[in-house]
Amino acid sequence: MRVHVADHPLITHKLTYLRDKRTDSPTFRRLTEELVTLLAYEATRDVRVEPFDIETPVAPTTGIKLSNPKPLIVPILRAGLGMLEGMVRLLPSAEVGFLGMQRNEETLEAITYANRLPDDLRGRQCYVVDPMLATGGTLADAIRYLADRGADDITAVTLLAAPEGIKAVEEALADLDIPINLVTGALDERLNDKGYIVPGLGDAGDRLYGVV
Ligand code: URA
C-alpha cells in the first residue's frame, strides 16, 4: 500500500481544531468537510483522465476530462458520511456507493449490514472514505469487497491513521495485486487498549453526529 501523509500546514492546523475536545459538532462537521477537500486534492492526483478538445475564445486546444467510468466514492457508514460532501465537492461527477460494515466482536468477521454499490466494479477507480484508520479491520474488508467486484485502483482517504492499522491493512491485503493507496491527514502515535487512536480525536462518529 502506498501511504501518503498529507502534512500540509493548513491540514495540520485544521486537524488541531478537530482534535480539540472543546470543538462542538457543527464546527467538527465543517472542519471535516474542509479537510476532506484538501485531502481529496492529494488523493485524486492519479485520477484517470482523457484528452478533451475545446476551443478557447482565442484558439483550439486540447485539455483533459475525467474518463469513464467515473470514479466511485464509497463512504463507510456511519462516520464516512461526514467526509462525503467534501469529496463530492471536488469530484462532482463521481458516483457514490455506500458500504455499512461492522465487526462481529466474537468472530472478528466483518458484517456488511448495508450495501448500495454496483455489482460490477471492473475498471473502476474507487475512493473509500472513513475518518479513522484504527485497527484497520473495516478498511481492509471494505477494500477487499471492492476488489472482489473488480475495482482495479483503490484509494482510502482518512483524517487520521495509526501505525498498527496501516500494518494490519497491508498484511490483510498482501495478496491483492492492484494499486492500493492511503492518503491521511496525520499518522498518529498508536492505538490504546480500547482501539482508539492516540492522541486521535475520540470517536469520530459521535463527534460528527452525537451519541445514538
Ligand atoms: N474510531 C474512532 O472513531 N476513533 C478512534 O480513535 C478509533 C476508531
Side-chain angles (χ1 to χ4, degrees):
M1 182 164 68
R2 199 174 63 176
V3 178
H4 178 69
V5 182
D7 52 359
H8 186 285
L10 274 182
I11 292 179
T12 311
H13 161 84
K14 288 178 195 295
L15 266 178
T16 303
Y17 283 93
L18 201 74
R19 291 177 189 276
D20 190 334
K21 65 180 182 186
R22 294 168 298 185
T23 299
D24 60 16
S25 277
T27 312
F28 193 95
R29 284 199 289 269
R30 180 178 54 75
L31 282 170
T32 299
E33 270 187 44
E34 290 174 10
L35 272 162
V36 173
T37 306
L38 295 171
L39 294 173
Y41 185 73
E42 292 290 347
T44 51
R45 190 167 284 281
D46 294 324
V47 69
R48 290 179 189 146
V49 294
E50 60 192 42
F52 184 47
D53 293 330
I54 56 156
E55 286 186 25
T56 75
V58 180
T61 187
T62 302
I64 55 171
K65 64 176 184 177
L66 293 188
S67 298
N68 283 313
K70 295 286 189 276
L72 184 72
I73 300 171
V74 183
I76 300 183
L77 305 179
R78 146 180 93 135
L81 277 184
M83 297 174 71
L84 179 57
E85 199 48 47
M87 283 299 289
V88 169
R89 189 168 304 145
L90 207 72
L91 280 176
S93 59
E95 291 184 338
V96 179
F98 296 91
L99 205 45
M101 300 194 110
Q102 208 168 24
R103 295 226 115 193
N104 177 321
E105 294 307 327
E106 281 161 25
T107 64
L108 294 184
E109 297 277 306
I111 303 162
T112 306
Y113 67 87
N115 159 17
R116 195 69 198 260
L117 286 171
D119 280 337
D120 185 0
L121 294 175
R122 275 176 297 176
R124 276 296 180 106
Q125 269 184 309
C126 294
Y127 294 90
V128 182
V129 297
D130 196 5
M132 311 296 272
L133 171 45
T135 60
T138 310
L139 185 62
D141 290 331
I143 291 174
R144 185 170 292 282
Y145 192 97
L146 299 172
D148 284 351
R149 280 154 187 77
D152 63 355
D153 184 313
I154 302 174
T155 298
V157 183
T158 69
L159 300 177
L160 300 182
E164 297 92 326
I166 292 177
K167 186 161 175 276
V169 172
E170 284 175 334
E171 284 173 6
L173 303 178
D175 59 311
L176 292 187
D177 62 357
I178 57 170
I180 297 175
N181 307 291
L182 168 71
V183 173
T184 187
L187 180 57
D188 274 11
E189 274 168 49
R190 61 184 171 88
L191 293 181
N192 69 13
D193 56 4
K194 295 195 172 82
Y196 278 86
I197 296 178
V198 180
L201 51 74
D203 188 302
D206 289 353
R207 296 200 62 191
L208 281 163
Y209 300 120
V211 185
V212 286

